[in-house]
Amino acid sequence: KARYRLWKDQNSDLVILPASSPLYDGEARNELTYHLQAGWDPVLEGDIDGERAETTELESKEPRFGSIQAARRVARTVFLATAPSAVSPRQTSRRGVERSRILLGCVQPGQASSTYSDALNRLADRLHYLNTTGDKTQDSTRYWFDTRANLRREMEDRKRRFDDAQDLRPKLAEVLRKLAANVALFDGVHVFTHHADIPDDAGLRLVVLPPERFHSRSETRVAPEAVLDVGRNNGTKPRYRGNRLLFLAPDHDILARVRDCLRTALAWKSSCDDVHAGRLNIDLNHKRQAEKELETSESVLPKAVRECYRWLLCPSQSAAGASHPGVEAFVLNTSGGTVGSELERTCTENELVISTWSPIHLRNRLKELYWKDGRTSVAALAFWEDTLRYLYLPRLRRRDVLAQAIVKGAATRDFFGTAYGEGGGKFEGFKLGDSNVQLDDTLLLIEPEAAAQYAAAQAAQPKPNASPNPTPTPTGEGKTPAVGTPPSTGGGPTPQPTPPASPKARAFHGHVGINASTAKMRLVQIADEIIAILAEDPNAEVTVSL
């Protein structure tokens, strides 16, 4: 009947092979399935041959397959080679047929075997009842049809169940946290965090944007809008230290692939969980396959996510008078090194974060913005606070970077003078060319010319002469003893008065003015340096009024 059907359909195959079997014909199909157990009809109609089969649909979409019926011929070959083993217990230990044997049953003289090999790879991902022993890219992998649906198709069905917001987003956040675990440049990494939960402090922070806040060369609005929104707001309050934030954004063109990888990993995880819980009944080979596929899909995720999150976005402002801030985008190299090393390299090369600062740059900034309009000094910590807030100022990695620049600059007379207070036209603790300085809330940086003039004026002032110690006048007859001198009692030496012992302090009252811009830092300093010391006394009663 099969040969008659081929003759009737004018089959032009040079050699009648297993792939030539007319399984689309009802009589030929019944003749073949008569010797098999029940349940093969849906396998033949859905996966192998027929108008509604997956192979027919694939050939209609792929002309290179349809021109030679590559998908149907591959499916027929696998069916004829493996279906009998379903009823033969002796063959179950070595089940399936290898790729080379499948191609041998398909290829006609003059045809390229690569087309059939590609069709086999596509069918391994699409067909419900086609099973494999492992990775389809390996030549030793074996293929066979069974009346039970295969795990890969089960996984494909499960992939459609997962929701982007409820399932994919938490999994993506988990992968990103693992990737960012070795990032040492930043004081904090915030993955998909609302701006209300990102601290507004002096710490340098990396904000990882969610997938809907993507960036690409063609779409440059979505992610920058999110960057500026986080830089302006801290919940319901305005953000004051917006110059401490950098942002990592996904590439729009790679997001689809990442979502597919996430769905695949979640589907295999769900299948393995159901197997262990007894909700999915499969044999030992399928169980091992599911566990191997889960391991493979999990190992693919970090690389795929890293390739997607390849945009480092930095809010910037060209000058103090610029009307609106902008956002600069830098492409990260995702092929080598770790995420932390690549972020540090990009930030250092593009001066997005400064870890070592020269005093000449500090002097230039002070001249440009602070030493003007008759003002010749600026508080060092006021400049540090401004670098935390304003985008046109450098983004220093830590306060120690500014302290090191001040120490280097104070060692010469070329950059600035230093003092620890100013009042009445005089600088307290004035130094010029002395590196023995400490960055605190009283340190002033003085414009170098003004500092030189002040030093010259100080040197020109005459030093007061030290008056000699007065010689006590001996007390004699007719002379009044000096004030404070006890009366003489005789010819012996006059006893010296014993100074009274100073009473121990029993109370402390303090009052300090606090600048609003440095309030948090000053309150912590007061708590550490004053309140903590007083509270160490178990008998002390400490009351603080703010």
Side-chain angles (χ1 to χ4, degrees):
K1 293 182 179 179
R3 289 196 300 269
Y4 172 74
R5 184 65 182 184
L6 293 176
W7 174 80
K8 185 177 179 179
D9 292 343
Q10 299 181 354
N11 185 278
S12 59
D13 288 352
L14 299 178
V15 181
I16 297 179
L17 299 171
S20 306
S21 302
L23 296 180
Y24 54 87
D25 180 70
E27 293 184 0
R29 178 187 302 172
N30 293 336
E31 183 70 22
L32 291 171
T33 58
Y34 175 78
H35 303 283
L36 300 177
Q37 61 186 7
W40 282 98
D41 286 337
V43 179
L44 288 163
E45 293 178 0
D47 277 6
I48 299 174
D49 206 347
E51 295 180 357
R52 296 187 299 272
E54 290 281 349
T55 52
T56 305
E57 182 182 354
L58 177 60
E59 289 175 355
S60 65
K61 294 179 180 179
E62 294 284 348
R64 67 191 184 99
F65 295 156
S67 62
I68 58 175
Q69 297 186 355
R72 278 179 283 184
R73 292 176 68 85
V74 166
R76 294 167 187 166
T77 302
V78 176
F79 170 74
L80 290 175
T82 61
S85 65
V87 295
S88 176
R90 293 175 298 176
Q91 300 183 23
T92 55
S93 60
R94 187 64 174 167
R95 200 170 186 183
V97 59
E98 296 178 355
R99 180 184 298 267
S100 59
R101 307 290 294 179
I102 296 173
L103 299 180
L104 187 62
C106 296
V107 181
Q108 289 287 323
Q111 292 180 342
S113 62
S114 59
T115 305
Y116 293 100
S117 183
D118 292 344
L120 179 60
N121 292 336
R122 297 287 293 275
L123 293 178
D125 294 332
R126 291 173 62 99
L127 300 187
H128 287 72
Y129 300 98
L130 180 61
N131 296 270
T132 64
T133 58
D135 189 356
K136 64 182 180 181
T137 61
Q138 301 294 327
D139 292 336
S140 59
T141 301
R142 304 176 71 86
Y143 302 82
W144 73 92
F145 277 107
D146 200 331
T147 55
R148 293 173 295 182
N150 67 4
L151 280 177
R152 183 170 294 277
R153 191 60 189 179
E154 174 74 14
M155 181 272 296
E156 293 292 337
D157 292 339
R158 290 178 181 238
K159 284 172 64 175
R160 304 187 183 96
R161 306 176 189 175
F162 299 106
D163 180 71
D164 285 357
Q166 299 296 327
D167 303 306
L168 268 63
R169 186 178 174 126
K171 182 65 175 179
L172 179 59
E174 176 187 343
V175 176
L176 284 167
R177 291 190 184 97
K178 291 181 180 178
L179 288 174
N182 62 349
V183 178
L185 178 65
F186 298 92
D187 298 308
V189 179
H190 306 273
V191 180
F192 306 164
T193 306
H194 191 266
H195 54 67
D197 299 322
I198 301 175
D200 187 18
D201 56 14
L204 188 64
R205 304 188 178 275
L206 178 67
V207 180
V208 183
L209 297 178
E212 62 270 15
R213 299 295 187 177
F214 54 80
H215 187 74
S216 68
R217 298 187 188 276
S218 58
E219 177 54 69
T220 58
R221 294 175 300 172
V222 179
E225 288 176 357
V227 168
L228 296 178
D229 180 52
V230 176
R232 285 191 299 261
N233 302 306
N234 183 26
T236 58
K237 303 175 294 182
R239 183 175 296 276
Y240 293 102
R241 297 174 176 86
N243 200 33
R244 305 303 291 169
L245 305 179
L246 290 175
F247 298 81
L248 191 62
D251 191 291
H252 178 262
D253 300 333
I254 312 179
L255 270 175
R257 176 172 174 265
V258 170
R259 288 193 177 101
D260 185 70
C261 291
L262 290 169
R263 291 181 182 276
T264 300
L266 290 172
W268 284 119
K269 179 66 166 58
S270 173
S271 299
C272 290
D273 291 344
D274 287 351
V275 169
H276 293 306
R279 294 186 293 267
L280 185 60
N281 186 18
I282 59 176
D283 57 25
L284 183 59
N285 289 334
H286 283 87
K287 179 182 178 181
R288 292 173 180 171
Q289 179 188 354
E291 293 173 348
K292 184 177 181 181
E293 292 288 353
L294 173 60
E295 182 181 353
T296 302
S297 61
E298 289 285 353
S299 64
V300 168
L301 275 180
K303 182 179 180 181
V305 172
R306 183 178 176 186
E307 289 177 353
C308 181
Y309 275 80
R310 59 197 295 260
W311 292 101
L312 181 63
L313 304 182
C314 175
S316 62
Q317 192 169 347
S318 58
S323 56
H324 298 288
V327 177
E328 295 182 87
F330 303 88
V331 181
L332 299 175
N333 180 13
T334 60
S335 59
T338 62
V339 175
S341 62
E342 177 59 20
L343 283 171
E344 188 164 355
R345 182 194 65 81
T346 303
C347 291
T348 302
E349 290 183 358
N350 297 280
E351 296 184 350
L352 306 180
V353 177
I354 298 175
S355 300
T356 303
W357 208 28
S358 172
I360 190 172
H361 299 305
L362 172 59
R363 182 193 64 184
N364 293 341
R365 286 291 186 176
L366 295 176
K367 279 188 175 182
E368 176 186 357
L369 300 171
Y370 297 91
W371 292 333
K372 58 183 183 178
D373 300 330
R375 186 181 179 185
T376 60
S377 64
V378 61
L381 280 188
F383 175 77
W384 162 249
E385 284 292 328
D386 288 347
T387 64
L388 309 180
R389 300 179 59 182
Y390 300 116
L391 301 179
Y392 53 82
L393 288 175
R395 186 180 293 102
L396 305 181
R397 183 172 182 179
R398 293 188 178 89
R399 199 176 85 165
D400 293 344
V401 177
L402 177 60
Q404 293 172 4
I406 291 175
V407 171
K408 292 179 182 178
T412 71
R413 304 170 66 94
D414 301 328
F415 300 107
F416 41 75
T418 60
Y420 291 94
E422 181 180 8
K426 294 184 178 181
F427 291 107
E428 299 179 8
F430 173 80
K431 295 179 181 179
L432 183 61
D434 188 348
S435 62
N436 187 20
V437 295
Q438 182 178 359
L439 177 60
D440 57 20
D441 57 344
T442 62
L443 180 64
L444 300 177
L445 303 179
I446 308 169
E447 195 271 332
E449 295 182 2
Q453 295 175 3
Y454 184 82
Q458 289 290 100
Q461 289 182 1
K463 296 182 181 179
N465 295 327
S467 56
N469 294 329
T471 303
T473 304
T475 303
E477 185 179 354
K479 292 186 179 181
T480 304
V483 177
T485 303
S488 176
T489 57
T494 303
Q496 298 295 326
T498 303
S502 58
K504 183 179 180 181
R506 300 180 60 83
F508 174 84
H509 301 274
H511 179 273
V512 61
I514 298 177
N515 191 330
S517 62
T518 61
K520 182 177 180 180
M521 179 180 61
R522 294 285 287 129
L523 290 174
V524 172
Q525 184 182 9
I526 292 171
D528 292 341
E529 299 183 3
I530 298 178
I531 299 176
I533 296 175
L534 296 176
E536 289 178 355
D537 189 346
N539 299 321
E541 185 176 330
V542 181
T543 303
V544 180
S545 299
L546 179 62

